Amino acid sequence: MASENTRKWAIIPEPNSMTVGEGTVLLPYAGRVNESIAIGDGDFLLAHQLVADIRSATGTDWDIATGDMWSGFIRLRIADSWDFDSQDGGTAGAYTLTINTDGITITGCDFEGVRNGVQTLRQLIRQNGAVLPVLQIEDAPAYRIRGYYLDATRGRVPTLAWLKQWVDKLCLYKYNQLQLYIEHTFAFDGMSETWRGSSPLTPADTLEFDQYCANLGIELVPSVSTFGHQYVAMRTQELRELGEFPEDADRPFSFIERMRHHTLNVADDRAFAFSTQLVDSYLQLFRSKRFNICADETFDLGKGKSKQEAQRVGVAALYATYVGKLCEHLSKQGREPMFWGDIAIEMPEILETLPNNVTLLNWQYDPEATDEKIQLVAQAGAKQIVCPAVWGWNALLPRIDDAWNNIARIARYGLDCGAEGMLVTDWGDFGHVNDPRMAVPGMIFGAQYAWNPAGDTAENDLLERISRVEYGDCSARFVALLRNASAQAVFTWRELVEYLELDDGTGNCNTDVAQTIPCLADRLVDHLSDCGNAMTVREARNRMMRNMATTIERIPQANRALQQCMVDIAPIAAHMGNPGITAAVRIAMEGQLLLNRVGFALAEAHDVRDAHDAGDWRPSDYRALARELECWCEAYAKEWNATSQPSELHRIQETVWKAADELRRISK
């Protein structure tokens, strides 16, 4: 093995077995890729991927052929039975890659294996150009299912063009499954009141995208909310009566309430007809036999319209019965149901009722998570896929340390407990302010650990490898600097939304929002008993900002560190040749600088800081800060359009404008 200290290239996921020999291999200037017809790649897409990367890296054009009458410097083939020993012979996705002076051979045990080997070679070509190392790789994934879950509903609806780019990237890092999270952003027939104005995906989009994914060896699994997370639908005129609290349907929109109050009243027979209508129409657009009914975070179950029924049978039974009916409905159509496991794990008696063909999606997002919940499902004998997260939600900059700790940890637990796969989640809470391109490091963490959870890869080593492979950064510092920048997020998008939404729109304190803020939740009851009155907006915001006092003190230092990150990353980004990610990172960093300053200003307005000690954030600067926010928001909107439909961009803008107006108000 060559020393990692002398190697200037990397492979992600890192192969299980790799021997690097002496010398190098020069690619011919007029070569050919010979792809066996037995692979089943009807359009020879794998060969075309290699030819495109060779052209990009070397400027030369290669030929493509198939059959034993044609030579090929690069040969792609399916293994004969003797090509893999008994340890690897039954492993889907396994491959060997040999590079020597006789040429390059990729042998896979199936289509996916050849595809995986091609992605390894593509990474080597992108980093080394026409001069490749002599090496031998034998490789296979630990998890059969290596999936990515992208929120395409709570703020952003990606463009079809960007979705295809994302699938290209998932393919490069050997993912084999993708799910798009849908609540209201799909153009279901008869539900225009629900999806209007959301830039919904359409059946035509789905058919085209499903085919695109299949060509790249990625299974597109349908996923739609059928129980909880019906916030938008339950606010419509036509469907509000199906919700637990139809009387709240006309309350002002709230990012926070959307996360909490969104549950169907499943005691109403019409609810099942609603859910199955979604399921039956959606599944017809996908070739996958799997279907994710979601069914997570049903917080209001048994508290509103279904309270009487819940008292009669119990909340757990009410939940299990409804989910069981949906799973049975899918099973009768030859589908394999899956759903999020949070409620079943909270009420373990539900686990005993699950049909054998149901897969539990066991999400655990704590960076310090234990294996307790994964062990619980395994001991119950239920099938499970473990689900960590890229940790981008509610923030402009990705929390890279949290993502690494969460993903590496959950991958190991899942492997130890016999999980069938890993599904890395990318959520868009609070309007999906996080640019999806910021999730790339977390996505690659998932690729590494779904392939080899038992490896001892250090975080810093993986950050360097991502910088080289994904971003073409010869200094290998880009992702580490992005990680350092995210550590300077003191006053985040989440805190801004919480502060603003404490006002219910009428000048009163929104108690539903206050109950989600730890420093306010307990105080609400105490305040009512002490004073006999509800907490005012001013009192709630005072308490929130005072609770952040120690954190707020860090802002001047944090902004200096963040500005230094911007200085350090600029020349690196300039040489990467990727203006899209350069712009996205710059806008995110500038936005976080402004958010920190807003937090500082609000703290001062609530007497958390003394005015004479405000430094660069004196009261006279609040109006200038408001104008900076508004200008930044215009630049942010342009970057939004690079990946996403208009969808709910207006909600992000309205939040920024409210913050700007608040700054002007407190400057008087």
Side-chain angles (χ1 to χ4, degrees):
M1 287 287 288
S3 169
E4 287 288 347
N5 294 328
T6 61
R7 187 184 302 152
K8 298 300 182 184
W9 50 268
I11 298 169
I12 305 173
E14 192 171 14
N16 292 311
S17 173
M18 178 170 67
T19 302
V20 180
E22 297 293 330
T24 56
V25 174
L26 180 66
L27 293 177
Y29 66 88
R32 177 183 293 130
V33 179
N34 185 302
E35 180 177 350
S36 169
I37 198 74
I39 293 170
D41 178 17
D43 294 328
F44 300 99
L45 180 62
L46 299 177
H48 282 291
Q49 284 183 326
L50 288 168
V51 168
D53 278 330
I54 290 169
R55 182 184 302 114
S56 178
T58 71
T60 59
D61 288 314
W62 277 41
D63 192 16
I64 292 173
T66 191
D68 58 11
M69 298 298 293
W70 297 92
S71 63
F73 191 79
I74 298 177
R75 299 172 290 275
L76 312 180
R77 67 191 188 98
I78 291 288
D80 296 326
S81 59
W82 48 264
D83 279 331
F84 288 88
D85 61 26
S86 58
Q87 181 179 354
D88 293 330
T91 303
Y95 72 94
T96 63
L97 167 62
T98 302
I99 302 177
N100 57 37
T101 53
D102 294 331
I104 301 171
T105 301
I106 295 173
T107 305
C109 70
D110 52 13
F111 167 79
E112 185 181 337
V114 179
R115 184 204 71 150
N116 292 336
V118 166
Q119 307 318 308
T120 297
L121 181 56
R122 291 177 67 203
Q123 292 183 21
L124 290 169
I125 292 168
R126 289 183 175 197
Q127 295 170 82
N128 295 284
V131 182
L132 301 180
V134 173
L135 56 73
Q136 172 72 32
I137 291 175
E138 295 183 5
D139 206 8
Y143 281 118
R144 179 174 59 86
I145 295 172
R146 304 176 304 283
Y148 197 84
Y149 194 87
L150 177 64
D151 191 334
T153 205
R154 289 184 300 189
R156 286 181 191 267
V157 177
T159 64
L160 185 58
W162 185 83
L163 282 172
K164 290 179 178 179
Q165 293 175 27
W166 189 250
V167 169
D168 290 339
K169 205 174 290 295
L170 293 178
C171 175
L172 181 64
Y173 294 106
K174 305 184 178 74
Y175 278 85
N176 62 6
Q177 187 183 108
L178 171 65
Q179 299 185 31
L180 301 181
Y181 176 51
I182 298 295
E183 289 177 7
H184 64 286
T185 52
F186 195 84
F188 290 105
D189 281 353
M191 293 184 61
S192 56
E193 189 188 3
T194 299
W195 51 254
R196 65 187 185 189
S198 69
S199 309
L201 293 168
T202 67
D205 295 330
T206 303
L207 292 172
E208 181 178 344
F209 190 48
D210 186 58
Q211 181 66 58
Y212 192 87
C213 290
N215 290 344
L216 291 171
I218 293 177
E219 178 186 15
L220 183 64
V221 175
S223 172
V224 64
S225 288
T226 59
F227 193 166
H229 288 285
Q230 293 291 343
Y231 181 77
V232 175
M234 296 303 99
R235 288 164 59 82
T236 64
Q237 295 292 332
E238 293 189 17
L239 296 171
R240 64 177 61 192
E241 290 302 321
L242 296 182
E244 285 279 10
F245 293 102
E247 63 271 20
D248 291 339
D250 292 322
R251 287 167 63 94
F253 174 88
S254 162
F255 284 130
I256 295 173
E257 289 186 38
R258 176 157 72 179
M259 300 299 298
R260 306 293 301 178
H261 302 300
H262 42 55
T263 306
L264 276 178
N265 167 22
V266 296
D268 187 324
D269 292 339
R270 294 174 297 173
F272 188 70
F274 168 76
S275 296
T276 53
Q277 177 188 353
L278 297 177
V279 168
D280 293 348
S281 55
Y282 204 43
L283 64 80
Q284 294 179 355
L285 305 174
F286 297 80
R287 67 193 66 202
S288 174
K289 293 299 181 183
R290 297 182 174 91
F291 197 106
N292 181 2
I293 61 172
C294 294
D296 57 317
E297 297 188 329
T298 52
F299 300 123
D300 288 335
L301 182 62
K303 296 179 180 178
K305 289 287 188 177
S306 70
K307 186 174 182 178
Q308 184 175 354
E309 181 66 9
Q311 290 173 338
R312 187 180 72 83
V313 302
V315 174
L318 192 61
Y319 178 89
T321 299
Y322 196 75
V323 169
K325 285 173 60 180
L326 287 174
C327 290
E328 182 182 4
H329 181 80
L330 281 163
S331 298
K332 287 179 178 178
Q333 300 179 71
R335 305 289 169 153
E336 300 172 17
M338 54 176 59
F339 65 93
W340 299 108
D342 52 308
I343 304 300
I345 290 170
E346 287 177 12
M347 306 175 188
E349 60 269 33
I350 295 173
L351 294 174
E352 301 173 3
T353 70
L354 296 180
N356 293 331
N357 67 333
V358 172
T359 300
L360 209 68
L361 301 174
N362 195 349
W363 59 269
Q364 308 290 326
Y365 300 152
D366 186 346
E368 304 299 327
T370 69
D371 65 351
E372 179 181 0
K373 293 181 179 180
I374 297 172
Q375 288 274 14
L376 177 67
V377 175
Q379 291 166 3
K383 294 194 297 183
Q384 67 176 318
I385 291 174
V386 293
C387 307
V390 300
W391 271 87
W393 60 83
N394 300 343
L396 292 171
L397 291 165
R399 289 156 293 210
I400 290 175
D401 284 343
D402 287 337
W404 183 80
N405 279 302
N406 181 223
I407 291 169
R409 189 180 297 259
I410 295 301
R412 290 193 296 270
Y413 297 157
L415 186 66
D416 291 343
C417 293
E420 294 191 344
M422 185 164 83
L423 183 67
V424 181
T425 61
D426 182 357
W427 296 105
D429 306 11
F430 290 25
H432 213 143
V433 70
N434 39 309
D435 190 304
R437 292 170 291 189
M438 297 290 99
V440 168
M443 179 272 286
I444 299 178
F445 291 164
Q448 172 64 49
Y449 289 104
W451 192 271
N452 184 12
D456 57 356
T457 303
E459 180 184 7
N460 287 336
D461 173 62
L462 190 49
L463 297 186
E464 290 180 2
R465 290 197 285 130
I466 294 171
S467 294
R468 291 186 185 279
V469 176
E470 170 62 23
Y471 298 107
D473 169 25
C474 295
S475 75
R477 297 178 60 218
F478 180 78
V479 183
L481 286 169
L482 185 59
R483 185 262 313 270
N484 295 345
S486 70
Q488 312 312 320
V490 179
F491 191 79
T492 68
W493 180 254
R494 180 188 185 101
E495 275 99 28
L496 179 62
V497 169
E498 288 174 339
Y499 181 91
L500 295 174
E501 289 197 359
L502 280 170
D503 186 336
D504 69 358
T506 67
N508 295 315
C509 178
N510 187 325
T511 54
D512 281 343
V513 170
Q515 287 170 0
T516 68
I517 304 172
C519 68
L520 298 179
D522 293 337
R523 185 58 183 155
L524 283 172
V525 177
D526 295 339
H527 190 278
L528 188 59
S529 61
D530 292 345
C531 305
N533 298 310
M535 187 181 294
T536 66
V537 176
R538 178 70 184 182
E539 288 167 335
R541 288 175 170 175
N542 277 340
R543 177 168 288 273
M544 175 185 171
M545 297 311 298
R546 284 198 300 272
N547 188 66
M548 294 188 67
T550 303
T551 305
I552 294 292
E553 294 291 334
R554 288 187 49 232
I555 287 178
Q557 177 184 356
N559 271 14
R560 285 191 292 270
L562 184 50
Q563 287 168 330
Q564 187 60 52
C565 286
M566 294 169 65
V567 169
D568 293 340
I569 212 168
I572 294 172
H575 287 89
M576 292 190 324
N578 189 338
I581 191 61
T582 300
V585 168
R586 177 64 185 275
I587 293 299
M589 289 184 175
E590 291 282 3
Q592 188 55 58
L593 282 170
L594 289 169
L595 282 176
N596 282 348
R597 291 173 61 193
V598 169
F600 199 100
L602 294 176
E604 187 172 275
H606 287 275
D607 299 321
V608 174
R609 293 191 52 85
D610 293 332
H612 73 273
D613 192 32
D616 293 336
W617 296 283
R618 296 184 304 277
S620 60
D621 291 329
Y622 291 173
R623 292 185 180 184
L625 179 55
R627 293 192 292 271
E628 288 183 61
L629 267 180
E630 289 158 343
C631 291
W632 172 84
C633 193
E634 292 303 303
Y636 174 87
K638 291 178 182 178
E639 283 309 305
W640 175 289
N641 294 331
T643 64
S644 309
Q645 300 279 6
S647 36
E648 292 188 23
L649 171 61
H650 67 95
R651 299 200 190 280
I652 302 291
Q653 292 172 313
E654 288 162 5
T655 300
V656 173
W657 299 337
K658 285 180 182 177
D661 291 345
E662 182 68 14
L663 288 169
R664 291 187 174 100
R665 187 188 66 77
I666 65 177
S667 70
K668 296 178 180 178

